[in-house]
């Protein structure tokens, strides 16, 4: 994706758009040239993010690779041997990125990120294919979204292509050891992160930031045959709102949900199904996008998910891919599934369920991948769904299998981005 | 304030309330005993936050105290010689607090706070009085609010009285040197902070946290005679939402505002005046509470500010104090000001302005103290207000003077909390 193609959604407020444009002007010099879609050009001469200048220092203390689903992996604390960091300041631009041994960061107690949530991130995976190769999945989309998130949270701009090169470099360095070829079908979780380490305590746009990329050992989080259990949120609990930042992958969308998520877990559910507004519009589930498949009253099978237009849900890479695959592969004569992005309310879902028209629900995201929903708790009701062995209903299962084939190299597809190992 | 008196507002959703209660149960053992107002009791035996066990290590490298309004102070990066830190884990409870030399924190790149904004803070000041004594201003309220904020963002509970003791200890240690007696009328900014340093990358309630307290050299931020310039937000830019977290002092309320705030500054304004909803309800200004004084159509002078009931604005300590002082001192026969907490819309303000009934506007908060508003930009309009030499209109000026007298020891008052120096 060319940088100039990064869309600032048309519903962006003018003040926010102008603020983002001004921010990028100062921080991401030339790559925004010529864009007219909210990101303006600039003639700044400060250094850009430049992967070609990467300085490499390999570890002298390599760590053991934990076994899949070992306690170390389940704890989600183990990262690979290396990380990449790159500093930025308002006056000097982007510094030389460094690939170096994984280790702690040092921050002043006044650092902006610790007080004002000036932070954003991405979630991606590195897959070890059945053909022995390493792949990313549509990583350009993550890098472009990271720019949108960083601009929304007043962090510096950068060329997403350079971020992708850095991600690839880290994957190429640690992939061979941490995703051994004898474990095809395994993955590492990639977490590009940007934080404001500006030590000035005033509430203001940060003048210093740190971009870093780490690779974590993560368990599979898609559920078994019982599927996910979702607890519908109440009217007075809101994850995101129009005019807010629900569309961006910023820390501020996550911490505030943890109390409700924790309470859901304490009651035996996996995640919250986030309903919004007086009409209980269905938005996201946990930190994943949410889909349903139902029959309309006239018998049309539809795959439905909430639209991006209100900017209260994340423009998920998996979400996009589900929609595209469904349009390509499920709309033929065999299945004849209509793919619909529209607002829908919980009451519509409930009605369909009671009339036997709600065929399945599933969540889609990088962490949880495609996970069928086995149960939804709402007030005193419990909606239950029978799932297949893969933990999905029929349609989610078809989509999941297609995506896995692309991710793990069983099917050649432009979405699979091969990483050549060092 | 007794811990059991910490109110969880009645509009709190049940799931959130139960989540907070469960959180406190696990993290703040005995001090919640007996509370029935949303915070439940617990029989946990894990160690509580305990100021009496404070371990002290004084600096070997004392730093020079910058002059008031010197570049170091304006940069808001200079802290005093010491800080207090205290670690917590889910399995071991609160550890021994430490008073030690001010210096950087070490965090793993996976730390929850850097990804999910699991952070909250307070803003307070330590005042050097004209009587030579050090004072805090109603610090119990800040400590109680810190507990509410930490619970909202899934951080551990604690006894607010112990937090206050730690704050006092740090102030007593560094106050003498950093607020010299020969500079009465000066202050330090106190920033109690809690962050989740849990290195597990999963989106979940943190199992490790760090509480710390620092004292920063801050400039006076109340404006001169020109007053503050506010830019009214547009309909599609929203700071907080009912069911969200606008009432809590969590990082997630700040970072997302910086782009708009930065754009306001680039246009020559100081802060955003946050309007909410289709009726452009007036809520906060920047990160301060917002007040107006107007004459009603029947000639009644009213001091008006937004109510707390929707939980979209902060329950400011200065806000509370302004309301109380105004009720006590401005409602007599001389001034006869009626004090009103109610929703009011920008259109009402505009109407009053055009009819010559809008007497003054001001903001109130710890950082900006009481600052009169000189101008409000809204669409193509500019509302301007003439201010006195103290940068306030008549009523804000009276309140500001009263508060200063309490803070700086010119008037004995229960709100002034004397800190005995070491």
């Amino acid at each position: 994706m060319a940088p100039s193609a990064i869309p600032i959604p048309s519903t962006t407020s003018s003040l926010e758009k102008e603020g983002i444009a001004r921010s990028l002007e100062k921080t991401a010099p030339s790559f925004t040239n010529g864009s007219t879609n909210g990101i303006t050009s600039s003639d700044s001469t400060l250094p850009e993010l430049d992967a070609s200048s990467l300085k490499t220092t390999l570890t002298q203390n390599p760590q053991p690779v934990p076994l899949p689903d070992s306690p170390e992996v389940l704890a989600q604390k183990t990262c690979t041997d290396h990380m990449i960091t790159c500093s930025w300041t308002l006056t000097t631009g982007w510094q030389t990125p460094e690939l170096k041994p994984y280790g702690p960061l040092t921050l002043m107690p006044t650092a902006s990120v610790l007080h004002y949530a000036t932070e954003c991130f991405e979630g991606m995976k590195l897959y070890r294919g059945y053909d022995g190769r390493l792949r990313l999945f549509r990583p350009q989309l993550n890098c472009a979204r990271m720019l949108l998130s960083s601009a929304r949270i007043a962090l510096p701009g950068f060329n997403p292509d350079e971020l992708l090169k850095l991600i690839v470099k880290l994957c190429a360095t640690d992939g061979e050891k941490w995703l051994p070829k004898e474990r095809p079908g395994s993955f590492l979780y990639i977490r590009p992160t940007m934080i404001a380490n500006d030590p000035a305590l005033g509430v203001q746009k940060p003048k210093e930031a740190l971009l870093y990329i780490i690779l974590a050992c993560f368990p599979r989080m898609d559920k078994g045959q019982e599927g996910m259990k979702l607890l519908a949120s109440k009217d007075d609990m809101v994850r995101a709102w129009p005019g807010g930042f629900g569309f961006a992958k910023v820390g501020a969308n996550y911490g505030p949900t943890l109390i409700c998520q924790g309470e859901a877990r304490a009651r035996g559910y996996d995640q919250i199904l986030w309903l919004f507004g007086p009409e209980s519009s269905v938005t996201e589930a946990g930190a994943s996008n949410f889909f349903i498949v139902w029959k309309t009253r006239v018998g049309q099978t539809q795959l439905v998910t909430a639209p991006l237009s209100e900017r209260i849900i994340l423009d998920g890479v998996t979400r996009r891919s589900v929609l595209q695959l469904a349009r390509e592969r499920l709309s033929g004569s065999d299945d004849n599934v209509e793919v619909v992005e529209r607002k829908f309310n919980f009451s519509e879902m409930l009605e369909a369920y009671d009339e036997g028209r709600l065929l399945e629900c599933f969540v889609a995201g990088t962490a949880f991948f495609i996970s069928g929903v086995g149960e939804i708790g709402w007030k005193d009701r419990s909606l239950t769904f029978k799932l297949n062995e893969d933990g999905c209903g029929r349609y989610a299962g078809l989509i999941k299998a297609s995506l896995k084939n692309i991710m793990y190299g069983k099917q050649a597809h432009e979405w699979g981005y091969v990483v050549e190992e060092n």
Side-chain angles (χ1 to χ4, degrees), chain A:
Chain A
M1 177 180 274
S4 63
I6 297 158
I8 294 193
S10 58
T11 50
T12 308
S13 75
S14 60
L15 201 60
E16 181 194 337
K17 192 186 287 180
E18 285 154 36
I20 288 175
R22 196 183 298 269
S23 168
L24 288 171
E25 210 174 287
K26 287 201 182 133
T27 55
S30 67
F31 83 91
T32 55
N33 278 346
S35 164
T36 55
N37 192 5
I39 299 181
T40 57
S41 64
S42 163
D43 55 7
S44 165
T45 53
L46 291 178
E48 290 186 48
L49 183 63
D50 176 10
S52 71
S53 67
L54 183 71
K55 191 183 131 194
T56 297
T57 308
L58 295 179
T59 185
Q60 298 301 306
N61 183 26
Q63 297 297 307
V65 179
L67 289 172
D69 296 324
S70 61
E72 293 83 356
V73 171
L74 295 175
Q76 303 183 355
K77 295 178 189 176
T78 304
C79 288
T80 63
D81 288 319
H82 299 95
M83 63 182 182
I84 284 179
T85 66
C86 190
S87 293
W88 169 91
T89 79
L90 183 65
T91 50
T92 61
W94 286 102
Q95 305 302 295
T96 304
E98 290 184 67
L99 187 153
K100 60 188 183 186
Y102 179 78
L105 304 175
T106 298
L107 291 171
M108 291 312 288
T110 52
S112 173
V113 64
L114 304 179
H115 302 268
Y116 309 127
T118 37
E119 62 199 59
C120 66
F121 66 92
E122 272 300 320
M124 307 161 69
K125 283 177 178 168
L126 177 65
Y127 304 91
R128 173 62 74 186
Y130 289 95
D131 61 349
R133 305 191 79 173
L134 292 176
R135 276 183 190 77
L136 302 167
F137 182 77
R138 309 184 79 182
Q140 303 89 341
L141 294 176
N142 295 93
C143 294
R145 188 172 63 188
M146 179 95 169
L147 175 64
L148 193 66
S149 300
S150 68
R152 181 62 186 85
I153 204 70
L155 286 167
F158 55 89
N159 184 337
D161 296 339
E162 298 301 310
L163 173 60
L164 178 53
K165 287 180 199 163
L166 291 173
I167 291 168
V168 167
K169 183 69 189 173
L170 183 61
C171 291
T173 304
D174 279 349
E176 182 173 1
K177 169 180 167 184
W178 289 80
L179 282 182
K181 284 200 171 134
E182 59 272 24
R183 288 186 204 156
S186 60
F187 66 84
L188 289 167
Y189 183 85
I190 309 168
R191 175 57 64 94
T193 310
M194 206 192 311
I195 60 174
N197 53 358
D198 189 338
L201 200 53
V203 180
Q204 63 192 351
K205 284 173 71 175
K207 297 187 177 77
E208 299 178 32
L210 180 74
L211 169 70
Y212 63 90
I213 308 163
I214 54 178
L215 303 179
C217 299
F218 247 47
R220 278 183 51 171
M221 288 163 71
D222 48 328
K223 294 280 161 182
Q225 202 176 345
E226 76 284 7
M228 287 188 89
K229 291 182 66 175
L230 301 179
L231 178 62
S233 69
K234 311 230 170 139
D235 300 350
D236 55 356
M237 283 169 33
V238 175
R239 189 198 82 94
W241 52 85
F245 40 89
F247 64 92
K249 220 159 169 66
V250 297
N253 280 322
Y254 295 83
T257 70
L258 297 180
I259 276 291
C260 290
Q261 186 220 55
E263 185 59 18
R265 290 199 179 164
R267 296 188 192 185
Y269 294 91
D270 296 302
Q271 293 287 344
I272 296 279
L273 177 63
W274 292 103
L275 308 182
F276 178 76
E279 276 141 20
S280 295
S281 168
V282 180
T283 62
E284 294 196 353
S288 307
N289 292 117
F290 180 77
F291 293 78
I292 62 171
V293 183
W294 64 12
K295 289 262 186 208
T296 64
R297 288 235 166 84
V298 296
Q300 172 67 52
T301 307
Q302 286 184 335
L303 173 73
V304 187
T305 197
L308 303 176
S309 50
E310 280 192 315
R311 303 182 84 213
I312 60 175
I313 66 168
L314 195 73
D315 180 3
V317 177
T318 315
R319 177 188 181 280
R320 282 189 189 212
S321 307
V322 167
L323 292 173
Q324 195 168 330
L325 279 182
R327 285 188 177 112
E328 287 170 9
R329 302 188 187 182
L330 298 178
S331 62
S333 52
D334 284 355
D335 290 297
N336 192 24
V337 175
E338 190 181 357
V339 177
V340 182
E341 294 175 72
R342 74 153 167 101
K343 281 186 83 163
F344 63 105
N345 301 334
F346 194 77
S347 60
E348 292 178 83
M349 267 178 66
L350 200 62
E351 212 169 59
Y353 179 82
D354 286 337
E355 295 172 6
R357 296 186 288 108
L358 186 54
L359 306 182
E360 56 182 274
C361 307
F362 63 95
V363 308
T366 297
F368 284 88
F369 191 29
I370 305 289
S371 292
V373 173
E375 184 183 340
I376 301 176
W378 177 78
K379 297 188 179 170
D380 296 334
R381 296 285 308 268
S382 170
L383 286 60
T384 57
F385 303 89
K386 199 158 177 294
L387 303 175
N388 298 322
E389 268 178 30
D390 61 355
C392 290
R394 168 174 152 73
Y395 296 102
L398 289 171
I399 291 166
K400 185 175 182 177
S402 292
L403 287 171
K404 273 173 99 163
N405 285 342
I406 297 171
M407 289 161 174
Y408 292 107
K410 285 187 174 169
Q411 187 206 340
H413 194 285
E414 58 175 358
W415 292 350
Y417 183 106
V418 172
V419 174
E420 302 296 345
E421 288 164 82
N422 279 2

